[in-house]
Amino acid sequence: MNFSFRQFIFAAVATFTIAVPAVANDMTDEAIAERIKPVGSLYLEGEAPAVEVAAKPRSGEAVYNSFCASCHTPGVMGAPKKDDAGDWSARIAQGKDVLADHAINGFNAMPAKGACMDCSDEEIIAAIDHMIAGL
């Protein structure tokens, strides 16, 4: 494309004329602060970010549906299937403390907390209870 200088100036003025009022319409302090706020945070090693704590823990069913079901419904990589006594019997025989330890800290192919890093230990245990409730 071969633009003349006149076409370039016209396009630049038209763009500026259209774009500036859209930005300049809201020049309140709040609007400006919203436009220039940081998009992220930086934490130095040893500093922990502020983590919001849920008002009440998620139910075992909610944790299961959000994090556990993708592996424990079809039995991915040997994961015991929900409500399948054959899959769970040997695990349950080891005791609930071992079940909780494996779920919280990870075991074999299972990642720690089933990759729910914001789940509390109690929420993980509630998810286990939900998976074995029908046995």
Side-chain angles (χ1 to χ4, degrees), residues 71-116:
C71 292
H72 286 278
T73 297
V76 172
M77 295 181 67
K81 294 182 264 316
K82 180 182 181 308
D83 296 329
D84 186 323
D87 285 355
W88 284 99
S89 61
R91 291 168 172 91
I92 292 171
Q94 294 176 355
K96 286 195 86 171
D97 289 341
V98 172
L99 280 175
D101 179 62
H102 289 174
I104 293 166
N105 298 309
F107 185 75
N108 293 334
M110 174 151 171
K113 294 188 174 187
C116 177

Side-chain angles (χ1 to χ4, degrees), residues 53-59 120 123:
V53 177
K56 65 179 189 174
R58 292 169 279 203
S59 69
S120 68
E123 289 172 324

Side-chain angles (χ1 to χ4, degrees), residues 1-9 11:
M1 294 184 148
N2 212 354
F3 287 105
S4 70
F5 182 70
R6 180 180 289 177
Q7 288 172 323
F8 175 75
I9 293 298

Side-chain angles (χ1 to χ4, degrees), residues 31-55:
I32 293 169
E34 180 65 26
R35 286 193 299 269
I36 66 171
K37 72 180 181 181
V39 295
S41 300
L42 174 68
Y43 298 98
L44 300 175
E45 186 174 344
E47 291 181 358
V51 177
E52 292 184 29
V53 177

